[in-house]
Amino acid sequence: MTFTAVPPTVPPALPDAVEPKRPRGRPRKTEDERDDGNRRHALLTAAAKLFRRQGFDATSTRDIAAAVGMHSGSPFYHFKSKDALLYAVMEEGMHTAIARQSAALVPIESTPMAPLANMRRLIRSHFDTLHGPGNDFVPVMLYEHRSLSARQRTLLAKLQVDYEAAWTPVLEALHASGHLRAPVKLSRLLMLGALNWSVQWFDRKKGASLDELTDACMALFLKES
Amino acid sequence: MTFTAVPPTVPPALPDAVEPKRPRGRPRKTEDERDDGNRRHALLTAAAKLFRRQGFDATSTRDIAAAVGMHSGSPFYHFKSKDALLYAVMEEGMHTAIARQSAALVPIESTPMAPLANMRRLIRSHFDTLHGPGNDFVPVMLYEHRSLSARQRTLLAKLQVDYEAAWTPVLEALHASGHLRAPVKLSRLLMLGALNWSVQWFDRKKGASLDELTDACMALFLKES
DNA sequence: CCTACCGATCGGTAGG
DNA sequence: CCTACCGATCGGTAGG
């Protein structure tokens, strides 16, 4: 709006030859915005941030459009519906989280200490997914699950199973070695719950660090041997 | 509607003497609905149930009205706004939870086993608050916190501090006796998080019972001595 | 507590 | 990706 040099109501465009220097359409603002992929991703990032802060229902598609400098109808050029945008946010979050988790794990045969070390890495990686800078995607998934359609929920559930599958062998090893006394399945649910809930109270700018949090989890959940 | 014997559009009421047997106004349906307190509470209960199932934003005041057989504008006779109704749900939930928790605790001087026994009672009482039949009030509080105004949030925070205050001396005693190794404050946050998150996955109709869940928590969080 | 209603907002779309 | 717009829904209110 601020860049508009012409009055709001313009006459029909003149024949082509008149203004050869100026390409038609809105001028591109930066390199980043040149291709569709980046604009689509800008919408995803802005949506994740707003969904996390205000909630899905309390965020209008107009809010999201404004956050990336688009007009109200334009997000629907990139996403079929507001629901599809929400699902895309969650899917991106899960893909990133699964990749981060895989990278954090150490092969289990390498050393007898591996289960304890891997437990710590799983916890720390999970905290990064929840509290790392700009990591709004998974927190949105955790708290806006209810707004998905049944089909979307089924698709996401598969990704969540993949994610949690990495925990089971580690927990089983710790159970076998006596570090973990509670049943493996309930342990996984309770531990992930404890971590996920930190979204409600953790503040990167004060209190414990993510490393201290991870230490506390290890001390809380695991026995000495 | 189904009880209406007169057509939708009725002429102005005739003078009093004409129909002495029929009192004016809508007939009362049951004893329960006779006083305002019960109607107000019916709204609270219906709202809690709907807010929990569908979320605050996705539940219209019309939904709530319909659930108790009122018309669309009538809830506003009992509550100033939808927000006020949400806050009332949460406040009722916290009062009930605090009362349940107080009743569950055993005085700490009575026996040396008291800290462990009280830990178990605190956990079990919390699960009752989250999963007991009809206990939708606190789950709504846990997941619709964001929809409150700043002032409402401050008021609720005081109740939450009261509630969690009961955990601190128990955790401190367990820390002193070596049953708990992680820092007390982080332990409280992580443990309550693990319990609260069970709202997302616990199903009273299948899987573990609340007692088994409580056992798993004790085994997961506490050392043998 | 009902009736009748209002103003605002919202997701989404046609057509370019 | 913008312009201009629609139909639906929603919280809330006046007046009884």
Side-chain angles (χ1 to χ4, degrees):
Chain A
M1 302 291 227
T2 6
F3 295 93
T4 313
V6 288
T9 45
V10 285
L14 298 174
D16 274 345
V18 176
E19 292 186 348
K21 280 173 184 167
R22 210 197 247 160
R24 274 163 300 160
R26 219 172 38 127
R28 313 287 189 172
K29 285 179 192 163
T30 75
E31 290 269 326
D32 292 337
E33 295 173 18
R34 201 158 274 163
D35 66 293
D36 286 354
N38 278 338
R39 300 269 60 207
R40 186 189 146 97
H41 203 264
L43 278 171
L44 272 181
T45 306
K49 186 172 171 182
L50 289 168
F51 288 163
R52 179 176 196 172
R53 206 189 302 169
Q54 313 174 356
F56 176 70
D57 289 304
T59 302
S60 69
T61 55
R62 284 162 172 82
D63 291 340
I64 300 165
V68 299
M70 286 180 186
H71 287 233
S72 73
S74 302
F76 296 97
Y77 170 76
H78 295 278
F79 295 94
K80 208 187 89 207
S81 65
K82 192 189 178 189
D83 259 37
L85 177 50
L86 175 65
Y87 179 76
V89 164
M90 297 184 181
E91 194 182 36
E92 159 119 1
M94 283 309 293
H95 283 145
T96 305
I98 288 170
R100 179 182 291 113
Q101 185 174 75
S102 300
L105 282 177
V106 157
I108 203 158
E109 314 86 11
S110 56
T111 144
M113 283 291 290
L116 271 180
N118 274 338
M119 188 74 262
R120 178 182 293 277
R121 285 157 185 272
L122 284 177
I123 292 173
R124 180 51 208 252
S125 168
H126 198 81
F127 280 134
D128 281 338
T129 291
L130 299 180
H131 303 298
N135 293 358
D136 296 320
F137 296 79
V138 168
V140 166
M141 190 198 71
L142 296 180
Y143 290 103
E144 303 296 344
H145 194 251
R146 213 167 25 194
S147 299
L148 293 178
S149 73
R151 203 178 54 85
Q152 290 171 325
R153 224 170 304 198
T154 306
L155 290 172
L156 251 194
K158 284 178 187 155
L159 292 177
Q160 290 170 334
V161 166
D162 285 353
Y163 183 83
E164 296 181 13
W167 286 60
T168 302
V170 176
L171 291 174
E172 279 168 352
L174 291 170
H175 196 269
S177 61
H179 289 92
L180 179 71
R181 267 202 303 130
V184 166
K185 192 185 169 188
L186 284 177
S187 293
R188 178 168 48 76
L189 289 165
L190 290 167
M191 288 171 66
L192 278 167
L195 306 200
N196 287 341
W197 194 259
S198 69
V199 170
Q200 302 261 13
W201 54 267
F202 181 74
D203 184 348
R204 226 182 314 153
K205 293 184 290 287
K206 61 183 180 189
S209 68
L210 290 184
D211 281 329
E212 289 166 337
L213 243 189
T214 304
D215 287 342
C217 288
M218 294 295 286
L220 179 62
F221 299 139
L222 300 176
K223 278 75 193 158
E224 240 120 25
S225 88
Chain B
M1 301 295 227
T2 5
F3 296 94
T4 313
V6 288
T9 46
V10 285
L14 298 174
D16 275 346
V18 178
E19 291 186 349
K21 279 174 185 168
R22 216 207 238 151
R24 277 162 299 158
R26 221 172 37 132
R28 312 287 188 172
K29 285 176 191 169
T30 76
E31 290 268 328
D32 291 337
E33 295 174 15
R34 202 157 274 164
D35 66 292
D36 286 353
N38 278 339
R39 300 269 60 208
R40 186 190 146 97
H41 203 264
L43 279 171
L44 272 181
T45 305
K49 187 173 173 182
L50 290 168
F51 288 162
R52 180 176 196 173
R53 207 188 302 167
Q54 312 175 356
F56 176 71
D57 289 304
T59 302
S60 69
T61 55
R62 283 162 171 83
D63 291 339
I64 299 165
V68 299
M70 287 181 187
H71 286 233
S72 72
S74 302
F76 296 97
Y77 171 75
H78 295 279
F79 295 93
K80 207 188 87 204
S81 66
K82 192 188 178 190
D83 259 38
L85 177 50
L86 175 65
Y87 178 75
V89 165
M90 296 185 181
E91 193 181 36
E92 159 119 2
M94 281 311 291
H95 284 145
T96 306
I98 288 171
R100 180 182 292 112
Q101 185 174 74
S102 299
L105 281 177
V106 156
I108 203 159
E109 314 84 12
S110 55
T111 144
M113 284 291 290
L116 270 180
N118 274 338
M119 188 73 262
R120 178 180 295 276
R121 286 158 185 271
L122 284 177
I123 292 172
R124 179 53 207 252
S125 168
H126 198 80
F127 279 134
D128 281 337
T129 291
L130 298 181
H131 304 299
N135 293 357
D136 295 320
F137 296 79
V138 168
V140 167
M141 190 197 71
L142 296 180
Y143 289 103
E144 303 295 344
H145 194 250
R146 215 168 20 193
S147 299
L148 293 179
S149 70
R151 202 178 55 84
Q152 290 172 323
R153 224 170 303 196
T154 306
L155 290 172
L156 251 193
K158 284 178 186 154
L159 292 176
Q160 290 170 333
V161 166
D162 285 354
Y163 183 83
E164 295 181 15
W167 286 60
T168 303
V170 176
L171 291 174
E172 279 169 351
L174 292 169
H175 196 268
S177 62
H179 289 91
L180 180 71
R181 265 202 305 127
V184 166
K185 192 184 170 189
L186 284 177
S187 293
R188 177 168 50 76
L189 288 166
L190 290 167
M191 289 171 66
L192 279 167
L195 307 198
N196 287 341
W197 195 257
S198 69
V199 169
Q200 303 262 13
W201 55 266
F202 180 74
D203 184 348
R204 226 182 314 155
K205 295 185 288 288
K206 62 182 178 187
S209 68
L210 290 185
D211 281 329
E212 289 166 336
L213 244 190
T214 304
D215 287 341
C217 288
M218 294 294 286
L220 179 61
F221 300 139
L222 302 175
K223 278 75 193 160
E224 242 120 24
S225 88

